[in-house]
Amino acid sequence: MTPHRLIRSGNCSPLDITHSGTTLGNDSPGLEERIVNDRSGDIQQARIASLQRRFRVGFERQAEQSTALKQYDYLEVLERTWSALGLPYSVGGAVQDMGSSNFWYAAALHAFFQPSELVGVEVEGYRIYTNGYSRLDYAHGYIQNLPNTQFIVGDYAGYDHPADVVTAWYPFVTPDPVLAWRMPLSVLTPHALFSRVAHNLTPHGLFVMVNQGRDEAAIAAAWCEKVGLVRYGSYEVRTLLRSRRPAVVSCWTSAHASHTSPYQN
């Protein structure tokens, strides 16, 4: 059984479990609750259909249903942020993702940016799940049908390659989430990571960072400013696809490109 088949059969990573939603109690829902849930489901399906048409994707054909929903969610976060900030849509260019876990969302990044090169970099890529497969195994399954895409096990702080776009989804900027994932505090190196982002960005490059809540976003923003990145804009996204804390998305450029339009190929 290949890792890709394993993904579709319902096995998932700790990230899948963490973000899979809330567990319902044993009580049967009342009529009002069923009506609300039905309406929410209709809204969710309509939004997914809109994303499918806009980006010509069908994530559920390649991934397990819960993973596909998260992929649509990430795609919506990007689409709504670009619309809110008036960012130009561009095709091609080198896109790097920092701290990619098992890169389950690679398809969403590929659909949105349509890059000439997509690279996910994860320092804990050899972490083994309880089923015996590693993050690297899963990543290979998620990216095997995506052209010009690779997954690298390593520390992004040492990844010296130019990028038109760098993305970071919920990067570690405080100790608590690091400890919650049972990882060593040695991986908490925001200054080194954001310094590498600033170094790798091309003159018109864009750093896209997603944080959980305003407090974490403020801490992460302070690190960006310390390494010389300049905020282009930020947006708090309340998606229609998943019930969770709003994502705070901020976009940054290098200091010498702060007065130009970012990411125009």
Side-chain angles (χ1 to χ4, degrees):
M1 181 178 292
T2 66
H4 181 62
R5 293 283 297 174
L6 188 69
I7 292 166
R8 295 190 65 182
S9 67
N11 290 286
C12 55
S13 71
L15 189 61
D16 292 324
I17 296 169
T18 301
H19 295 289
S20 62
T22 57
T23 301
L24 297 177
N26 294 324
D27 295 336
S28 298
L31 177 59
E32 289 187 10
E33 183 178 344
R34 289 201 300 271
I35 291 173
V36 170
N37 288 339
D38 289 344
R39 289 174 178 171
S40 298
D42 290 342
I43 294 172
Q44 182 186 84
Q45 289 304 314
R47 183 55 183 149
I48 289 175
S50 175
L51 291 169
Q52 289 172 333
R53 290 190 300 269
R54 168 73 174 80
F55 295 99
R56 299 181 180 180
V57 294
F59 296 142
E60 62 282 345
R61 294 195 294 267
Q62 299 292 330
E64 190 257 344
Q65 185 176 3
S66 62
T67 301
L69 178 60
K70 294 187 300 178
Q71 292 171 335
Y72 285 119
D73 179 66
Y74 271 32
L75 186 59
E76 182 183 36
V77 167
L78 291 171
E79 196 264 350
R80 293 185 63 183
T81 298
W82 251 244
S83 178
L85 299 183
L87 287 163
Y89 288 90
S90 298
V91 175
V95 177
Q96 299 170 4
D97 182 71
M98 176 178 73
S100 304
S101 184
N102 61 22
F103 219 13
W104 59 264
Y105 51 91
L109 297 183
H110 205 281
F112 186 82
F113 292 109
Q114 300 181 52
S116 57
E117 177 187 67
L118 174 61
V119 179
V121 183
E122 171 56 50
V123 69
E124 288 278 297
Y126 294 123
R127 173 176 281 209
I128 303 296
Y129 299 130
T130 56
N131 59 16
Y133 287 93
S134 69
R135 281 179 168 175
L136 178 62
D137 294 325
Y138 274 81
H140 285 164
Y142 284 124
I143 71 174
Q144 64 179 354
N145 295 319
L146 300 176
N148 306 315
T149 302
Q150 60 179 317
F151 179 82
I152 295 174
V153 179
D155 188 348
Y156 186 81
Y159 188 71
D160 187 7
H161 294 274
D164 298 295
V165 175
V166 179
T167 60
W169 298 82
Y170 310 106
F172 292 138
V173 293
T174 62
D176 287 350
V178 177
L179 297 174
W181 276 91
R182 298 181 180 178
M183 297 171 67
L185 286 176
S186 59
V187 304
L188 182 62
T189 57
H191 187 274
L193 290 173
F194 293 141
S195 293
R196 176 57 63 187
V197 171
H199 173 81
N200 283 358
L201 282 180
T202 59
H204 294 279
L206 187 70
F207 175 44
V208 184
M209 179 170 59
V210 185
N211 299 109
Q212 295 201 42
R214 296 179 182 180
D215 291 342
E216 182 182 277
I219 295 171
W223 282 111
C224 288
E225 291 166 355
K226 285 180 181 179
V227 302
L229 292 169
V230 177
R231 188 195 300 266
Y232 180 84
S234 60
Y235 180 60
E236 187 173 271
V237 184
R238 296 180 181 271
T239 73
L240 301 174
L241 300 184
R242 295 166 60 204
S243 298
R244 57 168 167 74
R245 184 185 306 177
V248 178
V249 187
S250 57
C251 297
W252 304 77
T253 64
S254 57
H256 59 277
S258 59
H259 298 295
T260 63
S261 298
Y263 189 45
Q264 290 184 330
N265 294 325

